[in-house]
Amino acid sequence: MHQEVETLAIGAGPANLAMAIALEELAPKEFAGETLIAEQHDDVVWQRGMLLPWSQSQVSFLKDLVTLRNPRSRFSFVNFLHATGRLDEFINLGSFTPYRLEISAYLAWVSRSLEHVRIEYGLRCTSVEPVPDESGVVTHWLAHFADGRTILCRNLVLGAGRDAHIPAEFAALPRERVLHSTEFATRVESLDPQSVRRVAVIGGAQSAAEMLVAAHERFTRAKCTMVMRSIGLNSYESSKFTNELFYPSFIDEFHAARPEAREQLLREMHRTNYAGLAPATLDGLYREMYLSRLTGSQRLRLVTMTEVEDARMDGDEVVLSLVERKNGERSELRSDIVLLGTGFVRGMPRVVNDLAAALGIGDVTVDRNYRMNVPPEVTAGCYLQGVNEATHGIADSLLSVLAARSGEIVTDLLEHRAAALAAR
């Protein structure tokens, strides 16, 4: 027998927690109470794989789950600090950007503070299928979970993020030798600091740099080499003029723009989020390399403008085949472990693509309110969070727009509910 709810949200990350807050504040109590968030882990943790003690967010604490939509909300980051007795200390810190640990604790606090929306843990969604009624109209979705449970819902909200990108060159390596950034913090502790002598880090953006720093600190006897395609490490593009493009109000302008204008905006804003480092990380890494050269104890090395052509095992060693992009020269880099700062798959997550295929949809798109565009014979609602950069701008995967987006999704849910009730 299926469990049945009105709205099922997959993933208890920032996107769906923001939506839960909007439901509690904007929707009737009974509608919010018929919403379930399914989380695959046993707790709520933000950026679990990169939750390093010293890592900071690059986003202002005012861009929390609710403040830009409702500054008076009891679910604000400021109220979290007040409720946990740390408001004075945070103010005294004099920073707009909290540590990731603080944001993660804030999200966990929100999850415990919800009154009507429920969260169930240990539920990993494996697939979703459309469920038609007797006339062939798809009125519900049926979500399948790894433990065998099934949940039937009228509205589905997918907010579990994109799939990790594991380049094909590394696919054949043993799992214990490869750590993607999404699992770095949770897996690195299992590695013996004394046994790791050579570390290869692939990538040239923030996650790769943070893994390089963390590996250099943990594996005190290891040589750490960072391999990247770019000419070198750069800081984020973060001018105040550029940051205006992350306003929630800019989404309307981006959504209405011509396709070629959208492409230009995404291309020019790439370095604001994906291809750069926070200035503090960049400066700290350069100083560490400078001091290591000064003292003759250099364990850090950057290899720029270089492709990884192949990766294989040779006995107990990982062997990376490198190609220098300037002159085509080939070389080998041998290491004990490989850390992948290779980001995420650009396309839609697998569960979305599989659902679209079941509906006969080729290209997955959403309307302005994040509702998936479906055939006319589908009345069940499906909303996509954090994967709509092509139509809603580069901020779609960031904290910056969560408060506003959650309000828009909940408003759309309520409008469709009212229309369905009126049609009966």
Side-chain angles (χ1 to χ4, degrees), residues 118-329:
R118 293 172 293 131
I119 303 176
E120 290 193 24
Y121 299 94
L123 286 177
R124 181 172 65 85
C125 182
T126 56
S127 64
V128 179
E129 63 176 295
V131 179
D133 62 12
E134 299 82 0
S135 64
V137 175
V138 175
T139 58
H140 291 79
W141 312 107
L142 185 64
H144 297 261
F145 295 87
D147 64 356
R149 287 180 60 182
T150 54
I151 300 178
L152 189 70
C153 63
R154 192 181 305 276
N155 298 298
L156 179 69
V157 185
L158 297 172
R162 296 186 187 273
D163 300 326
H165 174 50
I166 310 294
E169 295 81 12
F170 304 96
L173 293 179
R175 172 170 164 74
E176 64 269 17
R177 298 305 186 104
V178 182
L179 284 71
H180 189 271
S181 61
T182 54
E183 56 184 5
F184 174 74
T186 55
R187 288 186 56 202
V188 74
E189 294 297 323
S190 65
L191 300 176
D192 180 6
Q194 300 305 311
S195 66
V196 177
R197 301 297 184 91
R198 295 160 301 176
V199 178
V201 181
I202 311 301
Q206 182 72 20
S207 294
E210 289 183 3
M211 288 192 293
L212 180 70
V213 171
H216 184 259
E217 291 179 352
R218 177 172 175 78
F219 305 117
T220 56
R221 303 170 66 183
K223 291 186 177 180
C224 303
T225 303
M226 188 178 199
V227 182
M228 68 194 78
R229 294 193 183 109
S230 61
I231 61 173
L233 299 176
N234 295 292
S235 63
Y236 284 128
E237 167 57 54
S238 58
S239 76
K240 289 180 172 58
F241 294 101
T242 301
N243 282 342
E244 289 189 354
L245 303 183
F246 289 90
Y247 290 178
S249 57
F250 183 70
I251 297 173
D252 281 331
E253 193 172 336
F254 185 93
H255 191 267
R258 294 181 298 178
E260 57 269 27
R262 290 182 184 174
E263 290 176 7
Q264 178 185 350
L265 284 162
L266 291 174
R267 184 173 61 251
E268 293 191 17
M269 291 183 70
H270 188 72
R271 259 187 57 195
T272 64
N273 188 40
Y274 293 119
L277 278 65
T281 305
L282 193 65
D283 185 64
L285 182 56
Y286 189 84
R287 287 180 177 276
E288 181 62 39
M289 296 185 71
Y290 180 89
L291 285 172
S292 67
R293 288 193 293 265
L294 184 65
T295 60
S297 59
Q298 187 174 1
R299 294 191 295 113
L300 286 171
R301 181 168 70 110
L302 302 187
V303 178
T304 62
M305 293 194 70
T306 298
E307 301 270 3
V308 179
E309 189 176 55
D310 185 43
R312 60 184 173 84
M313 295 299 299
D314 182 12
D316 200 41
E317 295 180 313
V318 179
V319 182
L320 304 183
S321 300
L322 307 181
V323 181
E324 219 273 10
R325 300 183 75 184
K326 292 193 296 291
N327 52 33
E329 288 185 0

Side-chain angles (χ1 to χ4, degrees), residues 57 106 194 225 329 366 402:
S57 166
Y106 163 60
Q194 300 305 311
T225 303
E329 288 185 0
V366 296
L402 293 187

Side-chain angles (χ1 to χ4, degrees), residues 52-91:
L52 305 170
W54 39 263
S55 58
Q56 283 183 269
S57 166
Q58 278 79 60
V59 179
S60 168
F61 71 91
L62 292 173
K63 294 183 177 182
D64 58 18
L65 303 183
V66 66
T67 295
L68 290 180
R69 178 180 61 79
N70 178 15
R72 296 183 178 90
S73 173
R74 68 180 182 90
F75 291 102
S76 70
F77 183 78
V78 170
N79 192 45
F80 155 70
L81 293 173
H82 174 71
T84 54
R86 292 182 36 256
L87 183 56
D88 285 339
E89 293 178 359
F90 183 81
I91 293 173

